[in-house]
Amino acid sequence: FNGSYVIKDGTLSTGPMATTQMACIGPAAEQERRLFAMLNAPVKISYASDGSMTLTGTEGDTARLVLRP
């Protein structure tokens, strides 16, 4: 996916998001749907010492993003 975004004072705000025509299937489809729903509003960003990033939505829902080698 791609789109515009702004990070200010620890908050990520996105513009319209674009995705490919290829949809995820199974549990990945639900993860993708929930992430895009969360990104419809500004989310707080926090970083952990292991390099992961956690996004926290306005309803308290979270997404943890981890880099894989």
Side-chain angles (χ1 to χ4, degrees):
F1 59 92
N2 64 54
S4 61
Y5 68 94
V6 173
I7 298 174
K8 183 176 181 183
D9 298 327
T11 299
L12 168 70
S13 300
T14 63
M17 302 294 283
T19 62
T20 64
Q21 293 288 332
M22 181 182 271
C24 293
I25 57 173
E30 178 62 14
Q31 275 186 312
E32 182 180 63
R33 185 196 66 73
R34 292 177 66 189
L35 178 62
F36 283 121
M38 185 188 326
L39 292 174
N40 279 328
V43 296
K44 293 289 185 186
I45 302 174
S46 60
Y47 300 95
S49 60
D50 66 359
S52 65
M53 177 174 67
T54 300
L55 305 177
T56 303
T58 56
E59 302 294 319
D61 43 341
T62 61
R64 184 170 176 255
L65 307 171
V66 179
L67 288 174
R68 292 190 176 170

